[in-house]
Amino acid sequence: MHRGAVAHILWLVLLVACVLAVCACGGGAKPLSEEYGSLSPGTYVADEFQPALSFEVGKGWELSELQQKPFFEVLREYQGGDYFVAISFNNPPARVSDPRNPNKLVPAPKDWVSWYQEHPYLETSEPQPTSVGGVEGRRFSTVASNLPEDYYSEDCLGMGVPLWPLLQGHHWCAEEEGFDRTIVLDGVEDETVIINVWSNTEASSEKVLPEGKEVLDTVGWEDA
């Protein structure tokens, strides 16, 4: 065989090997732990979340200031910040707020979907089957409702129902306004993951829910 042909074949082999190496390393995905604020369009790996996951965002998304190991959130604002869509990933905690006593903590439930449905101050829709990253789960809408007149949670500044504590004194809350699409995934590497797609206004749901779904459709569990 002519030396030029041999060289050309070797070059193709090396090119294919390089492409496969890039794919094997996540295709240039960026560690989310090294990011802050605005995110450039591309693929990111939430390397401090358990289990680790990758996802892709387009233009306009940013990382919430509340990023922590058991929780992280990306969001996108519209019309100069008038409304937004946020996607939050939670590792369920060991303790939750007592539904009847918002300033008291009790052991976390084993069945999270039932806990949401039976919460006296949450209104939920009928759970529907869904999947994220190939992992089956259930989704439903959630909103704070039927609060007594004297109901007040210090952690939610009196504007919602506390569900569970986060680090650094923060609390995950369900609010009376806006909308919240909750997704409970069981069996992600034997872990439960709770995902929330939410916004500060229900009127924007028709626009922002599809954009949130676009991001969730790109999720891949790194070791699943």
Side-chain angles (χ1 to χ4, degrees):
M1 184 179 292
H2 193 277
R3 284 186 303 173
V6 172
H8 182 68
I9 292 174
L10 289 175
W11 181 84
L12 287 175
V13 170
L14 289 173
L15 178 62
V16 171
C18 288
V19 170
L20 291 176
V22 169
C23 293
C25 292
K30 305 172 186 177
L32 200 63
S33 59
E34 299 177 5
E35 301 293 325
Y36 180 79
S38 297
L39 297 174
S40 301
T43 302
Y44 294 85
V45 175
D47 47 342
E48 293 192 349
F49 191 77
Q50 295 297 325
L53 67 137
S54 62
F55 63 94
E56 184 178 344
V57 295
K59 185 178 179 180
W61 288 86
E62 61 185 83
L63 184 63
S64 168
E65 296 179 358
L66 296 179
Q67 181 192 6
Q68 309 172 32
K69 288 186 178 181
F71 163 85
F72 78 93
E73 178 178 83
V74 293
L75 59 91
R76 182 177 179 181
E77 294 185 343
Y78 302 85
Q79 296 183 358
D82 288 346
Y83 65 97
F84 62 85
V85 60
I87 306 174
S88 306
F89 292 80
N90 279 284
N91 286 139
R95 297 171 71 79
V96 297
S97 294
D98 186 336
R100 298 287 182 182
N101 186 349
N103 299 312
K104 176 184 177 182
L105 296 179
V106 296
K110 293 183 179 180
D111 184 343
W112 281 94
V113 175
S114 294
W115 182 76
Y116 271 96
Q117 290 183 300
E118 296 168 3
H119 196 293
Y121 303 133
L122 294 181
E123 182 179 338
T124 61
S125 63
E126 186 67 24
Q128 300 294 325
T130 191
S131 67
V132 177
V135 177
E136 300 297 322
R138 287 173 288 177
R139 62 176 173 81
F140 47 90
S141 61
T142 305
V143 64
S145 180
N146 301 319
L147 300 184
E149 291 185 3
D150 60 349
Y151 186 94
Y152 184 87
S153 163
E154 296 176 359
D155 295 306
C156 298
L157 302 178
M159 297 184 291
V161 175
L163 301 183
W164 57 76
L166 300 171
L167 298 178
Q168 302 174 3
H170 298 291
H171 222 89
W172 186 252
C173 301
E175 299 182 359
E176 294 181 87
E177 299 181 355
F179 75 88
D180 189 336
R181 174 70 56 79
T182 302
I183 300 172
V184 177
L185 301 177
D186 292 315
V188 188
E189 296 182 46
D190 298 324
E191 297 282 349
T192 296
V193 175
I194 298 178
I195 303 171
N196 295 86
V197 182
W198 62 285
S199 179
N200 58 334
T201 171
E202 187 173 0
S204 65
S205 61
E206 291 185 2
K207 175 177 177 59
V208 300
L209 274 177
E211 299 220 16
K213 185 178 184 300
E214 285 184 6
V215 175
L216 291 182
D217 285 345
T218 69
V219 166
W221 304 101
E222 291 298 286
D223 299 319

